[in-house]
């Protein structure tokens, strides 16, 4: 079914369509025709060796970053000043996944950013090559196996599961059926003491108006099964702490998901003199990182009770508040920590009665910016400034507790850089081993796409089907042929 066949979808998603999936039986363009469909034009894209299989691209184009396990060939490639992830897959799958990612981005959901679909590829002998889906590398993110290759806290697995539960709830609230939930299909960003999860693989997904309970439960059950298997694989490679119970962690996802889903969607039952509980409910949702756009309220049949249910919720409550005050766009828990430090700065400088926007400007100039400027150059691609600031605050607190007195910020930064920051470095040997494991999982057989289509509740458009979409008419897309 074409996207425009479902006009009840969120209008933002409807406007995101920027490439029409073509039927594989339709005769393709001639061997010399290369087509790049992209959200924005970048002439440097044409300088890449599209005539070569992705696995054979020259090393000088590649960026040696840890890759997650995938069924397909994936490489990170320099394109000008940007780093893009390239995934080699069949044309119809590439076009469909690009379209889905565009829709999810329009809905402000946490996914990798789709950049382009490259089709019409042929080698020097005129033999056809698979299409390539291009997405933007999510800076500072890591696949789960790379995280466990570092020295991390014992509860790392639990924190990753909590982040995945939040991601699943957000996607399900938006009507996105994933169909292939696993740690391998997610990238993780450090978010203060927690993690944020981003969808990186939407091949089997489907965007609908609203998911049924059965669809959600299938995603949850599949996630639990896959996670237990992935953690057992880590355990066999001695990357998981020995006291971690893989089955317990898998069950944790189910519990966390249902708890969060209930908090966001349940209807509360109040008496007319208990309306203060509405504010309590909203505050609880804010603490979970969600902003309430609207509450649906109605009187029960007996006329003595009021039923209250969040009608629309969105994530990023603290993020949006910090963005308004400082212009910093960071993860939710990072934003909460920075706001707390801003409040402490306001109190310590006796400026509670002053406009918060003015105080925030001074806090940025006097506290935040001088601190993050101290990040060594070699680590600036390893850690986000907001995460650096958060971890320095933690380190400073431990130093002060040990010393029995306050510690200057500059001293805390120097100590953190010397004693803590090196854990963010992955040596070349470790990255190469992780990427060898990732390549070992490549299948890239066409029958796998058919299976995904059957099990993932979606199919490619039927031959001759026309959903009325023409990428050349889309002002939000650029289509080039060469």
């Amino acid at each position: 079914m074409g996207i425009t066949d479902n006009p009840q979808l969120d209008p933002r998603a409807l406007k995101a369509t920027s490439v029409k999936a073509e039927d594989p039986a339709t005769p393709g363009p001639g061997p010399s025709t290369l087509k790049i469909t992209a959200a924005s034009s970048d002439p440097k894209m044409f300088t890449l060796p599209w005539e070569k299989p992705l696995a054979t691209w020259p090393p000088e184009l590649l960026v040696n970053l840890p890759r997650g396990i995938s069924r397909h060939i994936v490489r990170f490639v320099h394109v000008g000043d940007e780093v893009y992830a390239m995934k080699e897959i069949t044309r119809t799958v590439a076009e469909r996944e690009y379209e889905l990612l565009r829709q999810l981005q329009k809905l402000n959901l946490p996914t990798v950013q789709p950049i382009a679909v490259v089709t019409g590829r042929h080698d020097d002998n005129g033999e056809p090559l698979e299409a390539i889906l291009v997405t933007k590398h999510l800076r500072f993110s890591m696949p789960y196996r790379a995280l466990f290759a570092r020295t991390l806290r014992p509860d790392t697995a639990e924190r990753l599961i909590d982040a995945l539960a939040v991601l699943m709830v957000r996607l399900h609230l938006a009507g996105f059926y994933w169909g292939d939930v696993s740690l391998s299909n997610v990238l993780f960003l450090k978010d203060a003491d927690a993690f944020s999860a981003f969808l990186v693989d939407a091949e089997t997904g489907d965007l609908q108006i609203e998911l049924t309970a059965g669809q959600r439960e299938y995603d949850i059950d599949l996630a639990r099964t896959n996670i237990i298997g992935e953690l057992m694989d880590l355990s066999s490679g001695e990357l998981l702490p020995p006291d971690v119970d893989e089955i317990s962690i898998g069950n944790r996802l189910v519990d966390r998901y249902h708890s969060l889903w209930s908090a966001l969607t349940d209807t509360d039952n109040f008496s007319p003199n208990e309306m203060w509980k509405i504010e309590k409910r909203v505050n609880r949702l804010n603490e979970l990182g969600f902003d309430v756009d609207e509450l649906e309220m109605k009187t029960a049949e007996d006329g003595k009770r009021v039923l209250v249910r969040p009608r629309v919720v969105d994530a990023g409550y603290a993020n949006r508040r910090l963005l308004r005050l400082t212009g910093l766009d960071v993860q939710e828990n990072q934003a909460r920590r920075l706001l707390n430090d801003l409040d402490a700065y306001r109190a310590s400088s006796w400026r509670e009665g002053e406009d918060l926007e003015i105080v925030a400007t001074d806090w940025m100039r006097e506290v935040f910016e001088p601190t993050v400027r101290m990040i060594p150059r070699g680590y600036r691609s390893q850690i986000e400034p907001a995460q650096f600031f958060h971890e320095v605050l933690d380190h400073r607190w431990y130093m002060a507790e040990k010393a029995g007195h306050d510690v200057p910020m500059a001293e805390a930064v120097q100590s953190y850089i010397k004693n803590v920051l090196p854990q963010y470095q992955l040596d070349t040997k470790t990255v190469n081993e992780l990427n060898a494991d990732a390549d070992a999982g490549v299948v890239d057989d066409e029958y796998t796409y058919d299976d995904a289509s059957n099990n993932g509740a979606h199919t490619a458009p039927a031959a001759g089907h026309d959903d009325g979409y023409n990428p050349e008419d889309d002002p939000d897309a650029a289509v080039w042929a060469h």
Side-chain angles (χ1 to χ4, degrees):
M1 179 174 65
I3 298 300
T4 53
D5 294 333
N6 204 345
Q8 292 178 289
L9 280 178
D10 190 304
R12 294 173 296 174
L14 289 172
K15 293 177 181 178
T17 307
S18 56
V19 61
K20 176 182 172 184
E22 302 176 55
D23 179 64
T26 303
S32 62
T33 302
L34 176 74
K35 185 169 79 170
I36 300 176
T37 302
S40 61
S41 59
D42 184 351
K44 293 184 179 67
M45 293 282 282
F46 271 115
T47 67
L48 299 176
W50 302 114
E51 73 283 357
K52 297 180 182 293
L54 184 58
T56 67
W57 281 24
E60 59 268 22
L61 289 177
L62 306 181
V63 187
N64 196 27
L65 295 169
R67 302 190 299 272
I69 293 176
S70 172
R71 290 169 296 196
H72 317 292
I73 296 292
V74 176
R75 294 292 184 269
F76 292 108
V77 179
H78 276 298
V79 181
D81 295 330
E82 300 288 350
V83 176
Y84 292 152
M86 308 273 184
K87 181 167 70 171
E88 202 168 47
I89 47 180
T90 61
R91 185 184 70 191
T92 51
V93 174
E95 291 173 331
R96 189 178 187 284
E97 185 172 5
Y98 175 74
E99 183 177 338
L100 270 174
L101 288 172
R102 289 289 309 282
Q103 294 170 61
L104 296 177
Q105 285 267 304
K106 290 287 186 178
L107 296 175
N108 297 319
L109 292 168
T111 74
V112 292
Q113 179 184 344
I115 296 297
V117 175
V118 183
T119 57
R121 298 175 63 225
H122 293 79
D123 64 18
D124 291 333
N125 297 320
E127 294 297 319
L129 297 173
E130 286 192 316
I132 287 184
L133 173 67
V134 184
T135 58
K136 188 174 182 179
H137 170 58
L138 184 61
R139 290 190 69 201
F140 311 110
S141 67
M142 283 284 177
Y144 78 101
R145 292 179 66 87
L147 287 169
F148 284 100
R150 295 171 166 173
T151 302
L152 293 172
R153 287 166 35 181
D155 65 348
T156 295
E158 295 179 354
R159 292 184 291 145
L160 293 183
I161 292 307
D162 292 346
L164 180 56
V166 172
L167 175 62
M168 289 182 65
V169 166
R170 291 190 63 186
L171 292 172
H172 285 175
L173 285 170
F176 181 74
Y177 167 77
W178 198 335
D180 189 18
V181 189
S182 69
L183 293 173
S184 298
N185 289 336
V186 176
L187 288 173
F188 294 95
L189 281 176
K190 290 290 292 292
D191 183 8
D193 289 327
F195 288 94
S196 293
F198 289 74
L199 180 146
V200 72
D201 193 325
E203 287 176 31
T204 58
D206 190 34
L207 189 60
Q208 304 173 17
I209 300 169
E210 185 176 357
L211 298 187
T212 66
Q215 288 172 313
R216 292 192 299 106
E217 290 300 323
Y218 180 84
D219 258 359
I220 297 166
D221 185 62
L222 181 64
R224 175 186 176 276
T225 301
N226 286 341
I227 286 164
I228 291 173
E230 289 168 322
L231 293 179
M232 286 181 172
D233 184 46
L234 286 177
S235 182
S236 67
E238 300 182 348
L239 292 175
L240 204 62
D243 58 342
V244 171
D245 184 339
E246 298 91 346
I247 295 177
S248 175
I249 296 295
N251 291 337
R252 180 187 179 95
L253 173 75
V254 179
D255 295 340
R256 302 291 283 188
Y257 175 94
H258 284 136
S259 176
L260 183 54
W261 183 268
S262 176
L264 294 172
T265 63
D266 281 358
T267 298
D268 280 334
N269 199 327
F270 304 129
S271 66
N273 62 353
E274 294 179 320
M275 299 306 286
W276 58 271
K277 290 184 177 180
I278 296 177
E279 183 177 356
K280 183 178 179 181
R281 173 81 184 270
V282 172
N283 289 339
R284 170 61 179 152
L285 293 175
N286 291 162
E287 290 170 3
L288 290 170
F290 288 82
D291 203 3
V292 179
D293 184 59
E294 188 175 328
L295 288 173
E296 181 181 7
M297 302 175 60
K298 61 181 179 180
T299 306
E301 292 182 2
D302 60 8
K304 299 178 181 178
R305 310 289 291 176
V306 177
L307 307 178
V308 179
R309 181 179 187 272
R311 189 162 184 170
V312 179
V313 291
D314 194 13
Y317 174 76
N319 164 276
R320 283 190 289 275
R321 182 164 179 253
L322 183 70
L323 185 62
R324 287 195 299 269
L325 289 170
T326 67
L328 294 173
D329 188 2
V330 303
Q331 304 303 310
E332 184 67 10
N333 291 310
Q334 292 169 349
R336 191 174 291 114
R337 183 64 187 275
L338 267 59
L339 287 168
N340 287 342
D341 194 69
L342 171 58
D343 288 340
Y345 170 82
R346 189 184 195 189
S348 65
S349 56
W350 305 94
R351 301 172 67 178
E352 285 94 336
E354 197 169 337
D355 190 291
L356 186 55
E357 283 77 4
I358 296 175
V359 177
T361 299
D362 292 341
W363 173 82
M364 283 286 291
R365 184 180 65 253
E366 298 173 12
V367 181
F368 182 80
E369 291 175 350
T371 301
V372 299
R373 277 199 297 267
M374 295 178 73
I375 301 175
R377 183 175 299 277
Y379 287 94
R380 290 176 187 173
S381 63
Q382 307 292 322
I383 184 169
E384 286 182 286
Q387 184 66 26
F388 177 86
F389 188 84
H390 159 77
E391 294 188 15
V392 166
L393 291 179
D394 273 356
H395 189 70
R396 183 188 186 194
W397 185 88
Y398 287 119
M399 290 178 66
E401 186 181 47
K402 184 177 180 179
H405 57 77
D406 196 15
V407 174
M409 192 66 167
E411 182 181 337
V413 172
Q414 293 293 348
S415 174
Y416 172 84
I417 290 172
K418 177 181 178 181
N419 300 305
V420 181
L421 193 56
Q423 71 175 351
Y424 276 85
Q425 287 281 18
L426 279 177
D427 59 75
T428 302
K429 180 176 180 290
T430 302
V431 174
N432 290 340
E433 289 174 352
L434 289 167
N435 288 340
D437 285 343
D439 284 344
V442 172
V443 177
D444 268 339
D445 289 325
E446 284 202 32
Y447 72 85
T448 60
Y449 306 124
D450 295 334
D451 290 344
S453 180
N454 292 335
N455 296 331
H458 70 76
T459 57
H465 175 78
D466 183 3
D467 62 7
Y469 178 76
N470 183 350
E472 272 96 355
D473 295 334
D474 187 346
D476 203 20
V479 182
W480 323 312
H482 180 66

